[in-house]
Amino acid sequence: MASSTSGEREKVTSKLPGQLRSRVKVRAAEHRLDMQDVVAQALQAWQQAGPRPAANTSGAPPFSTWLAPGVYDTFKAHCADRKVSYIQGLAQALELWLADHPSPQEEHVATPHPRRRILANQKGGVGKTALTAGIGQAYAEGTEYGGPAQRVLLVDFDPQGHLSTQFGVDNLALGSDSLVKHMTGEAQGNLADLIVPIADERFGDRLHLLPACADGFVLDVKLSTIRAREAALERALEPLESGFDVIVVDCPPSLGLAMDSAIYYGRRRPEEKPAASGVVIPVQAEDSSADAYTLLTGQIEDLRQDMRLEVDYLGLVVNMYDSRRGYIATSSLQAWQEIGDPAVIAVVPDRKEQREAVRSKQGLLVYDPKSDQAAAMRKIAGILS
């Protein structure tokens, strides 16, 4: 990607996939915009939105447009920060612009589906629970605190119950009604009756938790005996969906049938746009996380192919990062960033505030809302909005 200056604008020459260019030209005409204005809007939105999924730019033909002085230099700096090529950055920006500017000819039908974020990794100890709690809180924060004030359901799908414990909520007693019983056809009541509000002025009445139950340890065995087991979690949660804008699921460190059900729940439904729902993968900057990542993505790809599903990777979160740990940490972070798709959407520092919040049985954004980790949670929620 190169530029040359003439008058009040500078000519920018790059490459752009032909199909993407055609889509943008048509959409620009529908919105009565010049291509150069579309590109300028797209670059600005891309820079503000944070890392995006990688775009396919192979075999792209040349493309040029005119931009105001300084726009190109700012764009280059953002590309350097994200370690993407200028061609890749431009393609991502225009894909984002298309998503934000639907065709006026399309009929837009509101759907009751909440956005679903599935926090998954086969490896334990990578911080799935902390991220589930933090992201959920960030979505639910009131507008007076700078949050989007959305209705959030946190689902403790891990029978160990760490998410429930973090908020000071008791796990459901063995033998009582539970999410597992609703998944396996043994329900004893209304699942909505099990939901616990997380009370704090930051969240109003918008943050809720579905607690864990130890019967989840036998869920894989029970699922093996029922039909359409991949859809079991969806069947259980679907009656609750209209009451929430976002559902965040804290998955167990497992590659069994329960994980299949969670991945299926996060699939792209027919009415949904790409990346409206999907899987967020917490990892750490060390070698064993890479092995676990390979196992998880293998399971997702198998499910995709076997059931012909669209499952979107919403991104990687490198959690509990500390560069002082030396070469292993820094080189592992670089390796995660070089994957490209899914992209690293955030690096969460290893700080004591999260551990203190858990010990005090408070959400991080209540315990220390100004901490670096709290800021990272808000950043992730913003990127995934």
Side-chain angles (χ1 to χ4, degrees), residues 157-224:
F157 196 43
D158 186 344
Q160 298 174 93
H162 295 316
L163 181 62
S164 304
T165 301
Q166 177 161 338
F167 286 103
V169 175
D170 292 334
N171 289 356
L172 299 169
L174 275 173
S176 67
D177 203 14
S178 68
L179 174 59
V180 168
K181 285 186 168 58
H182 283 260
M183 291 176 64
T184 57
E186 305 167 298
Q188 300 173 6
N190 190 330
L191 187 61
D193 293 339
L194 304 181
I195 294 175
V196 177
I198 305 301
D200 190 89
E201 62 180 13
R202 300 189 76 87
F203 314 126
D205 58 355
R206 296 177 296 274
L207 185 61
H208 297 78
L209 171 71
L210 181 57
C213 181
D215 60 0
F217 284 114
V218 296
L219 178 56
D220 279 0
V221 175
K222 291 190 173 186
L223 285 177
S224 67

Side-chain angles (χ1 to χ4, degrees), residues 323-355:
S323 61
R324 294 174 299 179
R325 292 178 180 140
Y327 175 73
I328 293 296
T330 56
S331 61
S332 294
L333 174 59
Q334 182 178 355
W336 289 121
Q337 292 171 330
E338 289 174 351
I339 290 175
D341 185 14
V344 173
I345 59 174
V347 178
V348 181
D350 188 9
R351 299 286 188 270
K352 62 182 178 62
E353 289 81 8
Q354 175 63 48
R355 293 185 287 274

Side-chain angles (χ1 to χ4, degrees), residues 31-177:
H31 287 272
R32 299 181 180 181
L33 293 171
D34 292 332
M35 279 292 287
Q36 61 189 23
D37 294 328
V38 168
V39 173
Q41 291 177 10
L43 296 183
Q44 182 179 21
W46 178 77
Q47 289 159 190
Q48 294 174 346
R52 305 291 300 174
N56 183 3
T57 60
S58 59
F63 167 79
S64 62
T65 190
W66 295 86
L67 297 174
V71 172
Y72 174 62
D73 289 336
T74 302
F75 167 69
K76 288 196 299 182
H78 279 270
C79 287
D81 288 342
R82 299 184 197 181
K83 296 181 173 58
V84 299
S85 69
Y86 305 149
I87 297 171
Q88 177 65 216
L90 175 62
Q92 290 182 17
L94 289 173
E95 289 285 6
L96 177 61
W97 185 89
L98 286 168
D100 290 342
H101 295 78
S103 170
Q105 306 302 319
E106 295 176 1
E107 180 180 1
H108 298 286
V109 180
T111 70
H113 305 314
R115 290 165 293 150
R116 301 170 308 288
R117 280 81 180 89
I118 312 302
L119 276 291
N121 193 322
Q122 178 266 344
K123 184 179 185 298
V126 296
K128 292 187 297 291
T129 297
L131 290 170
T132 300
I135 294 169
Q137 292 169 78
Y139 280 127
E141 268 191 318
T143 54
E144 63 271 33
Y145 299 99
Q150 295 181 328
R151 300 167 300 165
V152 179
L153 176 63
L154 303 175
V155 178
D156 195 346
F157 196 43
D158 186 344
Q160 298 174 93
H162 295 316
L163 181 62
S164 304
T165 301
Q166 177 161 338
F167 286 103
V169 175
D170 292 334
N171 289 356
L172 299 169
L174 275 173
S176 67
D177 203 14

Side-chain angles (χ1 to χ4, degrees), residues 1-6 10-14 65 67 72-73 76:
M1 194 168 183
S3 68
S4 60
T5 303
S6 176
E10 57 182 354
K11 186 177 182 179
V12 177
T13 302
S14 182
T65 190
L67 297 174
Y72 174 62
D73 289 336
K76 288 196 299 182

Side-chain angles (χ1 to χ4, degrees), residues 53 216 259:
M259 181 57 65

